Amino acid sequence: MKKTDKKRQQTILIVDDSEINRSLLADMLGNEFTILEAEDGTQAVATLQQEGSGIDLVLLDIVMPKMDGFEVLAVMNRNNWIKDIPVIMISSETSPSCIERAYELGVTDFINRPFDVWIVRRRVMNTLMLSSKQKKLVGMVTDQIFEREKMSNLMITILSHIVEFRNGESGMHVLHIRTISELLLKSLALKTDKYGLTQADISLISTASALHDIGKIGIPDHILNKPGKFTPEEYEIMKTHSEIGASMLNDLDFIKDEKLVKYAYEICRHHHER
């Protein structure tokens, strides 16, 4: 039985006002690609909006009615499509200023007409291969960042639970603080943009909140775990845990400028202020 290759065919959008040119390019590329066509810039933009990342490459002419190739590139830049979809410009325009402008607007390659079949195919294949490698690399970096954040969160959770365990608590207190912090911050972000809270900020602050009581490490056991009411002197010592925690974080010279540590410092230092 013949094995079926389920790999998705790569999609190329050919943008040219000449039907003959579009047909020539489609024939050159053969049956190994899914070909979409647009006869002017407005159709090209509409197709990019509809297909999005489903388009792997754009072959773009410069001189077209309604919207020329440079205008298409401008729209692709405004929408950040140019970062994900490579563009090869194919044109009879050969002036250095024209080619320079095309590269400034983000094209990956520039092919002059009349074009050679082998050159077009080779450059298309090279561009697609390079784009594929870049996307794979970005994916690997994203996975690494995710794993690093996952491990950082795990270490923070372990540390905060150690503090809670020493204090005779179950560890649910830390989870409750993180959850409440996240809910409050999300509500605040919906009510006002005064603080410029992004989702990344909310995630960082909520994570940092787990460290709010790390200063309790510096409180003597006989006070920290005293079953009855504190004496005034013991209460004054207990209150220093916020200052101790902030001081511990401030002493971490090599990472104290990290956003997470800055948030944790503020939380440790001021979480009992009111």
Side-chain angles (χ1 to χ4, degrees), residues 149-164:
E149 289 181 351
K150 182 179 173 183
M151 291 304 296
S152 297
N153 286 337
L154 180 61
M155 293 306 295
I156 289 170
T157 301
I158 291 170
L159 177 59
S160 59
H161 277 254
I162 289 171
V163 174
E164 296 303 315

Side-chain angles (χ1 to χ4, degrees), residues 207-261:
T207 300
S209 73
L211 297 171
H212 70 285
D213 272 344
I214 60 169
K216 287 182 178 179
I217 290 174
I219 303 299
D221 284 345
H222 72 278
I223 295 176
L224 186 65
N225 295 316
K226 183 178 178 178
K229 188 178 179 180
F230 292 137
T231 65
E233 293 78 12
E234 289 170 340
Y235 187 47
E236 288 303 314
I237 293 172
M238 187 63 186
K239 286 195 292 185
T240 63
H241 79 273
S242 58
E243 187 177 350
I244 292 170
S247 179
M248 288 167 58
L249 291 168
N250 196 49
D251 287 341
L252 300 173
D253 291 333
F254 58 100
I255 59 169
K256 71 179 183 180
D257 289 331
E258 293 289 332
K259 254 189 170 184
L260 176 66
V261 180

Side-chain angles (χ1 to χ4, degrees), residues 135-151:
K135 288 176 182 176
K136 186 177 180 181
L137 181 60
V138 168
M140 289 171 63
V141 171
T142 301
D143 289 343
Q144 288 175 358
I145 292 171
F146 174 78
E147 283 301 315
R148 190 176 72 173
E149 289 181 351
K150 182 179 173 183
M151 291 304 296

